[in-house]
Amino acid sequence: MKTDIHPDYAPVVFRDLASGEMFLTRSTVSSEKTVEFEGATYPVIDVEISSASHPFYTGKQRILDSAGRVEKFNTRYKGFGS
């Protein structure tokens, strides 16, 4: 295997913006922003959704106004194609 071709693999904190949950893992991604986590300072990557806030993992479904969306669609495209 060639040497010096692989990116740096270091500890990084991923912060879920939806729930505020933070996960420490190792990754090749880096960031200029840092965060204090478990007594040490690590680079932080902000993500919009993770297993801490995704409905599949949490079991909580968001109620969408699907009836309102269908009515809005039907109103908008009522005469289209006729």
Side-chain angles (χ1 to χ4, degrees):
M1 188 157 55
K2 293 183 180 179
T3 59
D4 300 328
I5 64 168
H6 298 286
D8 188 28
Y9 189 68
V12 176
V13 171
F14 285 88
R15 179 172 45 201
D16 186 341
L17 296 176
S19 69
E21 191 83 24
M22 292 192 291
F23 303 94
L24 177 63
T25 187
R26 293 176 50 110
S27 178
T28 59
V29 78
S30 63
S31 173
E32 296 295 322
K33 296 189 308 183
T34 60
V35 68
E36 186 79 17
F37 185 74
E38 296 180 350
T41 303
Y42 299 102
V44 63
I45 303 295
D46 292 325
V47 294
E48 293 187 21
I49 195 161
S50 72
S51 61
S53 61
H54 194 280
F56 180 80
Y57 296 104
T58 61
K60 298 178 184 175
Q61 292 291 330
R62 293 183 188 170
I63 305 296
L64 297 177
D65 182 20
S66 59
R69 291 181 182 196
V70 171
E71 290 171 9
K72 185 176 179 181
F73 177 83
N74 288 338
T75 303
R76 181 180 289 173
Y77 296 105
K78 186 174 187 175
F80 188 75
S82 298

